Amino acid sequence: MDSRKDLSDVTAILLAAGYGSRIAELTAGPKCLLPVAGKSMLERHLEIWKKLGLKKVRLVVGYKAEEIITVAKKYESDLAIEYLYNHEYLTKGNTYSLLLGIQKLQGTSLIFDADLVYHADILGTFLAQKEENLIIVGETDISDIECTKTLVDKNAFVRKVVDKRAITKEELELYEYVGEAIGILKFSPSVTDALVKNCEEFLAVAGNLKLNWEHVLNIFLPKVEVQYAQCINHNWIEIDTPEDQKHA
């Protein structure tokens, strides 16, 4: 990363309100506090952000919020942390958490899924990119049903993400598959404001309240010019299952 790059207008937003039902056999606590090689995912995020020079942080919490806050408070001497509460995490999913994180935000938004483990070099390289609106994309097989598959148009702008289903023949005729959106997204102030409006409109429909951010992005991405940055290595993993934790 270019150490001279000014990150003073960037706010890191961690979406950590959910329950994590698929790892319930490993912990009854918040998913982001699950240890990976002796250190929780939350601590790994915060320490990387501190190392790279980020200062402003928003943690969106819900399930057992106080346990998360107790850990995060240890970093408040280095990071200006704001806690935002999704009190209705059982009925309102991470699109609602995303909205809480980006509402009334001044500056660039840097959005993270809490269950992502990644090497500092991946984020450092990403932050050094000059493009204002970017999604990190990692190498994953197109046949992986679970991953968030990223589709781009002929100008390499991200236009669609496909989650937990196969990409259709019609989609591949329109777009090119470039890999998995690993769960790190960066948006300029104006694009963040546009995303707020799209989230509000999306969540005004009762049937959308529990849906993840991939769904609102599919309404949002055709309207804006968001590029993708290829992940520089394979040192990342999303922790969804006990097997993922062992692999990590």
Side-chain angles (χ1 to χ4, degrees):
M1 176 186 168
D2 182 358
S3 60
R4 296 169 296 178
K5 189 172 180 65
D6 182 13
L7 299 176
S8 61
D9 77 325
V10 179
T11 299
I13 301 158
L14 191 71
L15 307 181
Y19 169 59
S21 59
R22 285 192 285 177
I23 52 88
E25 66 183 78
L26 296 178
T27 179
K31 186 178 182 182
C32 68
L33 297 186
L34 192 70
V36 174
K39 188 175 293 184
S40 73
M41 290 187 277
L42 174 62
E43 291 171 297
R44 291 178 177 277
H45 283 291
L46 297 174
E47 289 180 8
I48 288 174
W49 299 349
K50 172 186 169 183
K51 176 181 178 180
L52 295 178
L54 289 161
K55 296 295 183 183
K56 295 186 290 186
V57 173
R58 286 184 171 186
L59 297 188
V60 184
V61 294
Y63 176 66
K64 295 193 175 182
E66 294 309 314
E67 292 184 21
I68 296 173
I69 292 171
T70 296
V71 174
K73 280 186 175 296
K74 301 173 185 177
Y75 296 86
E76 288 182 349
S77 60
D78 298 296
L79 300 169
I81 304 177
E82 181 181 359
Y83 303 98
L84 303 168
Y85 290 82
N86 178 355
H87 294 290
E88 301 171 271
Y89 59 87
L90 289 176
T91 56
K92 294 183 178 180
N94 75 357
T95 297
Y96 181 70
S97 292
L98 171 61
L99 175 59
L100 291 176
I102 61 178
Q103 276 181 325
K104 301 178 182 178
L105 184 70
Q106 301 296 318
T108 296
S109 60
L110 186 64
I111 302 157
F112 297 81
D113 280 336
D115 59 2
L116 177 68
V117 177
Y118 53 93
H119 194 278
D121 287 349
I122 291 174
L123 182 58
T125 300
F126 182 65
L127 290 173
Q129 302 297 310
K130 66 180 186 299
E131 291 83 4
E132 290 188 303
N133 301 293
L134 278 173
I135 294 174
I136 295 186
V137 171
E139 184 178 342
T140 307
D141 193 282
I142 193 172
S143 65
D144 186 343
I145 297 298
E146 283 291 311
C147 81
T148 303
K149 296 165 281 293
T150 307
L151 300 175
V152 304
D153 66 15
K154 62 182 180 181
N155 296 313
F157 292 120
V158 181
R159 295 304 184 193
K160 194 167 190 177
V161 290
V162 175
D163 185 43
K164 293 181 174 54
R165 68 167 175 82
I167 300 173
T168 67
K169 178 183 177 181
E170 290 74 20
E171 287 168 334
L172 286 175
E173 288 174 351
L174 287 172
Y175 305 114
E176 177 188 358
Y177 169 71
V178 293
E180 177 179 358
I182 71 172
I184 304 178
L185 310 92
K186 181 181 71 169
F187 298 125
S188 69
S190 61
V191 170
T192 299
D193 288 343
L195 181 55
V196 168
K197 182 177 180 181
N198 275 254
C199 286
E200 290 172 341
E201 293 172 350
F202 182 79
L203 292 168
V205 178
N208 292 339
L209 288 175
K210 294 188 72 172
L211 297 178
N212 289 337
W213 55 255
E214 290 87 353
H215 296 272
V216 74
L217 281 191
N218 283 333
I219 298 171
F220 178 66
L221 288 170
K223 306 175 187 176
V224 294
E225 294 185 348
V226 175
Q227 297 168 282
Y228 73 97
Q230 202 72 46
C231 201
I232 62 170
N233 58 49
H234 295 281
N235 295 327
W236 61 272
I237 187 170
E238 181 183 8
I239 308 295
D240 283 325
T241 66
E243 290 72 26
D244 292 335
Q245 187 202 26
K246 291 176 184 178
H247 182 61

